[in-house]
Amino acid sequence: MSAAGAVVDASRVARLTRRWPRIERSEFMSLEEVRGEIDAIDARIIELLGARQQLVMRAATFKRNEHEVRAPDRRARMMVRLRELAVRHGVEPMLVERVYNTLIDGFIELEQQRHRALTAGEVAGSVAPRPVEAASGA
C-alpha cells in the first residue's frame, strides 16, 4: 500500500470512528449505505489481520518448541484483556471470545507450521540459528 493509501485508510477509520454515534441514532439513509460502511470496516479488519499474521510469523522465530507456540498462559491473559475491551467498547464479550478463539486457533496453526519449518531448517543447517528469548506468546 502506498503512503497516500495509508493516509486515506487512516482518515477513513477516523471518520468511521466519529460516525459510530450516528449508527445508534439511525442516521443512515439506506441499507446500501449501512452495507457500505460494514464493507469498509471489513476491509480494515482484513488489513489488520494481515499485519497480525506477519507479527505471528515473526514471533515463531523466538519460540523453542510447540508448547511455546501455543502459549496457553498468554492466551488466557489475552482472553481476559479482550473481554474487558469488548465491554469497554460495547461489544458482546461472548462474541469477541468466540471470534478470537477461532482467530487464535488459526494463527497458532500457521505459527506451528512456521516453527516446524524453521526447526527443520536449523536441523538441516540451512538457516541461521533463531534468537532464544523467553516465550512471549503471539
mmCIF file of all heavy atoms in Angstrom, residues 16 21 30 38 52 81 97 100 108:
data_model
loop_
_atom_site.group_PDB
_atom_site.id
_atom_site.type_symbol
_atom_site.label_atom_id
_atom_site.label_comp_id
_atom_site.label_asym_id
_atom_site.label_seq_id
_atom_site.Cartn_x
_atom_site.Cartn_y
_atom_site.Cartn_z
ATOM 1 N N LEU A 16 -14.947 6.824 10.370
ATOM 2 C CA LEU A 16 -15.878 5.784 10.827
ATOM 3 C C LEU A 16 -16.024 5.822 12.344
ATOM 4 O O LEU A 16 -17.115 5.664 12.873
ATOM 5 C CB LEU A 16 -15.407 4.405 10.375
ATOM 6 C CG LEU A 16 -15.582 4.101 8.899
ATOM 7 C CD1 LEU A 16 -14.894 2.793 8.549
ATOM 8 C CD2 LEU A 16 -17.047 4.054 8.515
ATOM 9 N N PRO A 21 -21.590 7.161 16.658
ATOM 10 C CA PRO A 21 -22.817 7.657 17.297
ATOM 11 C C PRO A 21 -23.989 7.752 16.312
ATOM 12 O O PRO A 21 -25.134 7.570 16.690
ATOM 13 C CB PRO A 21 -22.415 9.037 17.821
ATOM 14 C CG PRO A 21 -20.935 8.947 18.003
ATOM 15 C CD PRO A 21 -20.455 8.039 16.886
ATOM 16 N N SER A 30 -29.937 4.494 3.950
ATOM 17 C CA SER A 30 -30.368 3.302 3.226
ATOM 18 C C SER A 30 -29.590 2.073 3.683
ATOM 19 O O SER A 30 -28.536 2.183 4.313
ATOM 20 C CB SER A 30 -30.134 3.500 1.720
ATOM 21 O OG SER A 30 -28.742 3.535 1.448
ATOM 22 N N ILE A 38 -20.178 -1.203 6.556
ATOM 23 C CA ILE A 38 -19.740 -2.523 7.018
ATOM 24 C C ILE A 38 -18.599 -3.029 6.147
ATOM 25 O O ILE A 38 -17.594 -3.546 6.647
ATOM 26 C CB ILE A 38 -20.924 -3.521 7.040
ATOM 27 C CG1 ILE A 38 -21.904 -3.139 8.154
ATOM 28 C CG2 ILE A 38 -20.429 -4.960 7.202
ATOM 29 C CD1 ILE A 38 -23.227 -3.890 8.110
ATOM 30 N N ARG A 52 -1.282 -8.632 11.738
ATOM 31 C CA ARG A 52 -1.185 -9.566 12.862
ATOM 32 C C ARG A 52 -0.492 -10.857 12.417
ATOM 33 O O ARG A 52 0.354 -11.401 13.127
ATOM 34 C CB ARG A 52 -2.572 -9.865 13.431
ATOM 35 C CG ARG A 52 -2.528 -10.619 14.755
ATOM 36 C CD ARG A 52 -3.928 -10.899 15.269
ATOM 37 N NE ARG A 52 -3.964 -11.215 16.675
ATOM 38 C CZ ARG A 52 -3.565 -12.370 17.207
ATOM 39 N NH1 ARG A 52 -3.084 -13.325 16.422
ATOM 40 N NH2 ARG A 52 -3.629 -12.570 18.507
ATOM 41 N N ARG A 81 -8.124 -9.781 28.725
ATOM 42 C CA ARG A 81 -7.967 -8.418 28.198
ATOM 43 C C ARG A 81 -8.982 -8.128 27.097
ATOM 44 O O ARG A 81 -9.596 -7.052 27.067
ATOM 45 C CB ARG A 81 -6.539 -8.239 27.651
ATOM 46 C CG ARG A 81 -6.253 -6.857 27.089
ATOM 47 C CD ARG A 81 -4.805 -6.747 26.603
ATOM 48 N NE ARG A 81 -4.447 -7.748 25.628
ATOM 49 C CZ ARG A 81 -4.720 -7.658 24.313
ATOM 50 N NH1 ARG A 81 -5.354 -6.622 23.830
ATOM 51 N NH2 ARG A 81 -4.332 -8.622 23.489
ATOM 52 N N GLU A 97 -15.058 -13.331 22.401
ATOM 53 C CA GLU A 97 -14.368 -14.555 22.812
ATOM 54 C C GLU A 97 -14.429 -15.615 21.720
ATOM 55 O O GLU A 97 -13.417 -16.247 21.393
ATOM 56 C CB GLU A 97 -14.977 -15.088 24.107
ATOM 57 C CG GLU A 97 -14.194 -16.236 24.686
ATOM 58 C CD GLU A 97 -14.655 -16.611 26.088
ATOM 59 O OE1 GLU A 97 -15.345 -15.811 26.740
ATOM 60 O OE2 GLU A 97 -14.302 -17.717 26.511
ATOM 61 N N TYR A 100 -12.209 -14.489 18.696
ATOM 62 C CA TYR A 100 -10.783 -14.577 18.993
ATOM 63 C C TYR A 100 -10.315 -16.002 19.220
ATOM 64 O O TYR A 100 -9.177 -16.337 18.884
ATOM 65 C CB TYR A 100 -10.387 -13.643 20.142
ATOM 66 C CG TYR A 100 -9.937 -12.310 19.598
ATOM 67 C CD1 TYR A 100 -10.861 -11.302 19.347
ATOM 68 C CD2 TYR A 100 -8.610 -12.087 19.272
ATOM 69 C CE1 TYR A 100 -10.461 -10.093 18.816
ATOM 70 C CE2 TYR A 100 -8.200 -10.878 18.735
ATOM 71 C CZ TYR A 100 -9.134 -9.887 18.506
ATOM 72 O OH TYR A 100 -8.734 -8.705 17.957
ATOM 73 N N ILE A 108 -2.324 -19.970 15.549
ATOM 74 C CA ILE A 108 -1.447 -20.980 16.160
ATOM 75 C C ILE A 108 -1.077 -22.032 15.121
ATOM 76 O O ILE A 108 0.080 -22.450 15.024
ATOM 77 C CB ILE A 108 -2.105 -21.617 17.402
ATOM 78 C CG1 ILE A 108 -2.070 -20.634 18.572
ATOM 79 C CG2 ILE A 108 -1.410 -22.928 17.777
ATOM 80 C CD1 ILE A 108 -2.846 -21.098 19.795
#
